[in-house]
């Protein structure tokens, strides 16, 4: 869990949580962090996605998402990142979901058609993101970081567990990529959701990939 003093988020927590859950599964599949045989092809927002079927993975992601949703409700989440770590626990790749302030209601989109179009666009970009990235080295792991106010971070850390999941301050080593290259994927300014999605790729990864 990383700290920030900015309050940027007023996005509908259910919508964002559902989208984030699908996105995490899709990233794990596209970056080959688990064998492809552990995934099942489904559709979300009419886009083909891959969802992991391993019970330990799906349970962990579900607990992360439920915690993130509670923090989003507080309006104090500015960013959620999925960080890929090498064997030495150095960050070599980071998928960044950066949230901006948005209205909770949109009278021009009562049935969420525009919002679904925006989220469909994000998933389409994630589907092809691996073509813009260098291959990952063997034996990578991953972690989710939530960037929020220090007071919110302290509250979750003091609770020790939430949804049977312990939150701890992010290891500083895992938050700093070496000479990162930024690869923008998509931005939306939908009235219900303002979000930027991009990837940061460490310059070290090329040396480790063969």
């Amino acid at each position: 869990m990383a700290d920030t003093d900015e309050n940027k988020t007023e996005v509908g927590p259910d919508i964002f949580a559902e989208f984030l859950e699908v996105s995490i599964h899709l990233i794990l599949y596209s970056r080959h962090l688990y064998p492809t045989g552990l995934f099942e092809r489904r559709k979300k927002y009419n886009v083909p996605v891959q969802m992991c079927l391993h019970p330990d993975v799906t349970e962990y992601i579900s607990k992360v998402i439920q915690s993130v949703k509670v923090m989003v409700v507080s309006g104090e989440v500015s960013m959620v990142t999925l960080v890929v770590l090498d064997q030495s626990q150095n960050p070599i790749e980071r998928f960044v979901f950066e949230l901006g302030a948005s209205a909770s209601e949109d009278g021009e989109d009562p049935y969420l058609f525009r919002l679904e179009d925006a989220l469909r666009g994000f998933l389409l970009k994630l589907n092809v993101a691996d073509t813009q990235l260098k291959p990952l080295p063997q034996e990578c792991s991953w972690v989710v970081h939530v960037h929020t106010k220090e007071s919110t971070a302290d509250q979750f850390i003091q609770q020790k567990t939430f949804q049977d999941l312990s939150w701890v301050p992010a290891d500083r080593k895992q938050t700093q990529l070496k000479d990162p290259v930024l690869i923008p994927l998509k931005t939306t300014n939908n009235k219900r959701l303002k979000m930027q999605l991009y990837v940061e790729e460490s310059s070290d990864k090329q040396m480790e990939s063969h």
Side-chain angles (χ1 to χ4, degrees):
M1 181 177 292
D3 298 336
T4 180
D5 290 326
E6 298 182 12
N7 182 351
K8 296 182 177 179
T9 308
E10 295 177 4
V11 64
D14 290 328
I15 295 172
F16 177 69
E18 182 180 53
F19 163 76
L20 183 62
E21 183 171 19
V22 174
S23 296
I24 290 174
H25 281 268
L26 190 53
I27 292 168
L28 299 181
Y29 173 82
S30 67
R31 300 308 289 146
H32 309 291
L33 291 166
Y34 296 104
T36 56
L38 292 179
F39 292 81
E40 179 181 75
R41 187 176 184 272
R42 300 179 189 172
K43 277 195 172 184
K44 186 63 180 177
Y45 308 121
N46 208 31
V47 174
V49 296
Q50 298 284 343
M51 303 294 286
C52 187
L53 299 178
H54 193 286
D56 291 340
V57 177
T58 56
E59 182 181 11
Y60 174 72
I61 294 175
S62 178
K63 290 177 179 178
V64 167
I65 295 301
Q66 290 303 312
S67 298
V68 170
K69 183 163 68 172
V70 172
M71 285 184 266
V72 170
V73 168
S74 71
E76 296 173 348
V77 174
S78 63
M79 188 185 302
V80 179
T81 62
L82 188 153
V83 184
V84 180
L85 308 168
D86 65 14
Q87 287 182 315
S88 300
Q89 295 296 290
N90 295 310
I92 54 175
E93 196 171 276
R94 179 163 54 197
F95 285 79
V96 180
F97 300 81
E98 184 174 343
L99 297 170
S102 59
S104 59
E105 300 295 335
D106 182 4
E108 299 177 1
D109 189 23
Y111 300 107
L112 306 183
F113 292 144
R114 293 181 185 176
L115 179 58
E116 286 200 6
D117 280 343
L119 296 177
R120 183 179 300 114
F122 280 104
L123 293 182
L124 288 171
K125 288 294 185 180
L126 281 174
N127 262 322
V128 297
D130 64 303
T131 63
Q132 303 179 58
L133 299 168
K134 301 181 185 72
L136 292 172
Q138 297 294 317
E139 304 299 329
C140 286
S141 57
W142 60 282
V143 65
V144 173
H145 290 163
V146 180
H147 298 246
T148 184
K149 278 188 172 182
E150 185 174 356
S151 58
T152 303
D154 288 343
Q155 177 183 350
F156 272 78
I157 291 168
Q158 289 170 6
Q159 288 178 353
K160 302 298 183 185
T161 60
F162 181 82
Q163 297 288 336
D164 297 324
L165 181 71
S166 296
W167 286 96
V168 297
D171 185 336
R172 192 170 187 81
K173 175 183 176 182
Q174 296 180 358
T175 64
Q176 298 176 337
L177 278 71
K178 181 176 180 180
D179 300 326
V181 175
L182 192 148
I183 302 168
L185 295 181
K186 185 173 174 59
T187 300
T188 182
N189 287 316
N190 188 284
K191 288 185 178 180
R192 289 180 181 266
L193 175 63
K194 295 186 186 298
M195 181 168 64
Q196 293 186 68
L197 172 61
Y198 56 92
V199 186
E200 293 175 324
E201 188 174 40
S202 171
S203 62
D204 275 354
K205 188 167 63 172
Q206 186 173 12
M207 295 187 296
E208 296 167 356
S209 303
H210 302 285

